[in-house]
């Protein structure tokens, strides 16, 4: 739109409408999301999502659009990404492209409810178990900053929600059982993988929850 110059006259100035700019970003994000879907069903095509995230342009495109996605779209992408995280991180051979998704996907995690943490963790576990070797799959994921960051974010968010929201005993127990499935492998990987900020953060998160996660079978 055009804005008049000074009161005494002058050339009109072009003003960029922040509303129209925001709308345009949301439109681009909506189109990107629709590219991942099966026809007009709204369901994500996981094979296509994995293929797109195996390319550098796909990772960059998603990183730029995640924060502009509708909340339900961002959560759907995160759910399916976690279910295929071992494959997606394996494609990022140099571990230098997926990390750009840490902050935008982390914001999706931290907008979720406790129930969503459990749903997302279950998707992660199902995806890791698909390959048959949970320890090996988890090592592949933890070698990439994105995989490590998402696990940290989910544990941190769940801890926050248990303090500030009414979480049922049943849901807490289900969450703890999910974490117990990866806890022993996490302890091993913390010892064998090269030190990093992500691993240090994971160690701190697990240490806060160790009284809930330790079982007699780990002795």
């Amino acid at each position: 739109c055009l804005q008049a110059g000074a009161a005494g006259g002058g050339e009109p100035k072009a003003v960029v409408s922040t509303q129209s700019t925001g709308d345009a970003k949301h439109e681009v994000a909506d189109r990107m999301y629709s590219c991942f879907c099966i026809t007009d069903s709204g369901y994500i095509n996981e094979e296509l999502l994995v293929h797109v995230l195996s390319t550098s342009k796909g990772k960059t495109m998603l990183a730029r659009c995640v924060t502009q996605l509708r909340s339900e779209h961002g959560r759907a992408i995160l759910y399916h990404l976690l279910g295929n995280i071992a494959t997606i991180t394996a494609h990022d051979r140099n571990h230098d492209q997926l990390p750009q998704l840490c902050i935008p996907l982390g914001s999706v995690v931290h907008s979720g409810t406790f129930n969503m943490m459990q749903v997302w963790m279950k998707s992660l576990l199902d995806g890791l178990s698909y390959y048959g070797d949970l320890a090996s799959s988890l090592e592949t994921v933890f070698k990439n900053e994105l995989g490590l960051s998402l696990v940290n974010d989910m544990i941190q968010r769940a801890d926050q929600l248990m303090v500030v929201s009414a979480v049922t005993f049943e849901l807490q127990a289900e969450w703890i059982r999910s974490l117990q499935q990866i806890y022993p492998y996490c302890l091993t990987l913390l010892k064998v993988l090269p030190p990093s900020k992500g691993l240090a953060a994971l160690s701190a998160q697990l240490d806060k929850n160790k009284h809930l996660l330790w079982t007699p079978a780990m002795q």
Side-chain angles (χ1 to χ4, degrees):
C1 61
L2 295 178
Q3 180 181 20
E11 294 296 324
K13 300 177 181 179
V15 178
V16 177
S17 171
T18 56
Q19 182 176 0
S20 61
T21 302
D23 290 344
K25 288 182 178 179
H26 285 299
E27 183 180 354
V28 170
D30 284 344
R31 289 183 179 179
M32 185 209 69
Y33 179 79
S34 67
C35 290
F36 294 135
C37 295
I38 302 171
T39 63
D40 297 324
S41 65
Y43 293 104
I44 288 182
N45 183 327
E46 289 193 348
E47 290 184 7
L48 180 58
L49 177 64
V50 171
H51 175 70
V52 169
L53 291 179
S54 70
T55 67
S56 58
K57 288 184 178 180
K59 294 163 192 169
T60 301
M61 176 184 69
L62 183 59
R64 291 176 177 174
C65 291
V66 165
T67 56
Q68 302 300 326
L69 287 169
R70 303 176 193 276
S71 59
E72 64 270 23
H73 290 173
R75 290 166 181 170
I77 285 178
L78 177 60
Y79 173 83
H80 291 287
L81 184 149
L82 286 168
N84 295 274
I85 191 69
T87 300
I88 291 171
T89 52
H91 282 307
D92 197 32
R93 298 186 185 282
N94 296 321
H95 308 301
D96 59 350
Q97 294 179 332
L98 282 175
Q100 64 187 307
L101 285 162
C102 289
I103 293 177
L105 286 179
S107 68
V108 175
V109 173
H110 283 279
S111 72
T113 63
F114 192 90
N115 186 62
M116 289 176 186
M117 298 307 116
Q118 174 58 20
V119 170
W120 289 333
M121 182 60 75
K122 186 177 185 304
S123 180
L124 172 69
L125 290 172
D126 288 346
L128 294 176
S129 300
Y130 176 80
Y131 295 93
D133 186 349
L134 185 59
S136 178
S137 297
L138 198 61
E139 181 177 1
T140 298
V141 171
F142 279 4
K143 284 181 177 179
N144 193 286
E145 187 181 344
L146 176 63
L148 196 53
S149 175
L150 289 176
V151 173
N152 276 329
D153 285 335
M154 285 190 288
I155 297 174
Q156 183 183 46
R157 178 61 173 165
D159 285 349
Q160 293 171 347
L161 292 171
M162 278 196 280
V163 174
V164 302
S165 63
V167 180
T168 66
F169 175 80
E170 292 77 9
L171 196 54
Q172 288 187 42
E174 190 177 353
W175 169 256
I176 291 168
R177 284 194 296 270
S178 294
L179 282 186
Q180 284 175 336
Q181 291 184 54
I182 63 171
Y183 183 57
Y185 304 110
C186 289
L187 294 180
T188 300
L189 291 173
L190 286 170
K191 296 175 182 178
V192 301
L193 290 178
S196 68
K197 289 183 179 179
L199 287 172
L202 177 64
S203 178
Q205 288 294 334
L206 293 177
D207 192 57
K208 288 171 59 179
N209 288 275
K210 66 180 180 181
H211 62 291
L212 300 173
L213 300 174
W214 188 264
T215 66
M218 298 177 189
Q219 293 180 349

